[in-house]
């Protein structure tokens, strides 16, 4: 019962696509990427207009599917990069069932798909939204990337669970970790953290603790709105922060040198 409850609280996939990639009016590829056990994950790729521009590999939150992230894709394209919206197993048209290690491997499979398209690893920015922050940070720990962006992301799933369910022994029984804060000290890439003080699910102190754990260069920008509202409330601020992050981190043309702390 505990395992079922934990899993059901974390993953809320939808199989119904409520939008299509063509709605952005940009060239795109609707692809299926092989993962383990003969399964495939779906992804939507929007190339940048400039081949030297960075590509945002987007790991979305725990609910819905990639069709609900077109507004985010539009913003990132406006920031000047390409975008790969990655679906997890069990979400949308992807095969299989989600799980912590599965989501990590799904992001890696998408990363290697981009490498196969000729995109250098040091030109890929791991972008994590909410739950996706735990996945994007693990991708940055496993593969060379140009930078890491965490939007509305928790420090770890047990930390968040203990706040949401204070009457349960979450830290004692949790098996799904997504420990973003523990990964950040091991990374030597530019980090941008975007979070709202009005976030009604993941409190702002998660962003502050993640920021404290990250190595320089690192940036923290405040957004407005509740957990699911930053794009509605703070789109100009988000766009400005991301463009400035690309500029100050010299990511625009693959100029960063990604590395890991042993």
């Amino acid at each position: 019962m505990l395992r079922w409850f934990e899993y059901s609280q974390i993953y809320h996939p939808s199989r119904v696509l409520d939008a299509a990639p063509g709605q952005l009016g940009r060239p795109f590829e609707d692809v299926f990427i092989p993962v383990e056990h003969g399964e495939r994950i779906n992804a939507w790729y929007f190339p940048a207009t400039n081949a030297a521009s960075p590509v945002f590999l987007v790991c979305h939150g725990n609910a819905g599917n990639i069709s609900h992230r077109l507004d985010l894709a539009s913003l990132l394209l406006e920031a000047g990069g390409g975008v790969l919206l990655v679906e997890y197993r069990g979400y949308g048209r992807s095969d299989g069932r989600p799980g912590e290690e599965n989501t990590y491997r799904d992001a890696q499979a998408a990363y290697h798909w981009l490498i196969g398209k000729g995109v250098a690893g040091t030109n890929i920015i791991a972008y994590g939204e909410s739950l996706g922050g735990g996945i994007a940070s693990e991708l940055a720990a496993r593969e060379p990337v140009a930078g890491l962006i965490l939007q509305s992301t928790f420090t770890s799933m047990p930390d968040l669970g203990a706040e949401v369910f204070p009457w349960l022994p979450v830290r004692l029984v949790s098996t799904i970790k997504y420990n973003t804060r523990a990964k950040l000290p091991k990374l030597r890439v530019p980090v941008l953290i975007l979070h709202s003080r009005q976030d009604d699910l993941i409190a702002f102190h998660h962003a502050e603790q993640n920021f404290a754990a990250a190595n320089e260069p690192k940036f923290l920008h405040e957004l407005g709105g509740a957990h699911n509202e930053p794009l509605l409330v703070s789109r100009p601020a988000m766009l400005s922060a991301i463009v400035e992050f690309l500029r100050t981190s010299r990511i625009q043309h693959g100029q960063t040198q990604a590395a890991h702390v042993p």
Side-chain angles (χ1 to χ4, degrees):
M1 285 292 292
L2 284 171
R3 297 285 77 79
W4 172 85
F5 180 78
E6 179 184 26
Y7 187 91
S8 66
Q9 292 301 308
I10 293 174
Y11 302 109
H12 297 275
S14 171
R15 290 291 192 180
V16 178
L17 298 185
D18 292 323
Q23 291 176 220
L24 290 187
R26 295 281 297 260
F28 71 89
E29 294 183 47
D30 183 1
V31 301
F32 285 88
I33 301 171
V35 289
E36 297 87 359
H37 313 301
E39 296 174 340
R40 300 185 307 166
I41 58 171
N42 189 208
W44 292 347
Y45 180 48
F46 301 89
T49 54
N50 183 340
S53 297
V55 176
F56 298 94
L57 192 161
V58 177
C59 303
H60 65 70
N62 73 327
N65 53 56
I66 56 175
S67 74
H68 303 116
R69 272 73 190 189
L70 282 184
D71 286 344
L72 176 58
S74 176
L75 179 142
L76 297 175
L77 288 167
E78 189 175 344
V83 177
L84 180 65
L85 293 179
V86 181
E87 198 66 282
Y88 312 127
R89 271 172 265 197
Y91 285 72
R93 295 185 293 161
S94 295
D95 300 327
R97 187 171 184 265
E100 184 172 6
E101 182 60 28
N102 277 354
T103 56
Y104 294 155
R105 290 181 178 273
D106 294 343
Q108 282 188 280
Y111 174 95
H112 287 289
W113 184 86
L114 279 176
I115 297 295
K117 295 286 287 184
V119 179
T122 50
N123 220 24
I124 296 173
I125 300 173
Y127 189 109
E129 171 214 2
S130 192
L131 175 74
I135 300 163
S137 58
E138 180 67 16
L139 176 63
R142 295 186 180 192
E143 307 286 354
V145 297
L148 173 65
I149 300 179
L150 303 176
Q151 178 198 329
S152 309
T153 295
F154 46 74
T155 53
S156 75
M157 188 55 71
D159 288 347
L160 179 61
E163 294 172 10
V164 176
F165 303 105
W167 60 89
L168 294 176
V170 172
R171 297 185 193 281
L172 293 177
V173 302
S174 176
T175 61
I176 301 174
K177 305 299 185 183
Y178 290 111
N179 196 339
T180 304
R181 180 174 53 186
K183 297 162 189 169
L184 289 169
K186 304 173 184 178
L187 305 179
R188 289 290 186 187
V189 296
V191 176
L192 170 62
I193 297 174
L194 304 167
H195 213 108
S196 170
R197 290 188 184 273
Q198 291 78 50
D199 195 311
D200 54 345
L201 176 61
I202 301 173
F204 191 76
H205 67 80
H206 286 264
E208 294 175 314
Q209 292 178 34
N210 282 336
F211 181 74
N215 290 298
E216 296 285 356
K218 57 184 177 179
F219 310 89
L220 173 60
H221 283 265
E222 292 188 29
L223 306 177
H227 186 69
N228 294 317
E229 295 180 341
L231 263 174
L232 295 173
V233 176
S234 298
R235 191 184 192 281
M238 283 184 66
L239 178 60
S240 176
I242 292 168
V243 169
E244 182 67 8
F245 176 66
L246 298 181
R247 186 188 67 81
T248 57
S249 301
R250 302 179 70 235
I251 293 174
Q252 297 97 323
H253 302 291
Q255 298 176 59
T256 55
Q257 294 296 316
H260 304 277
V261 178

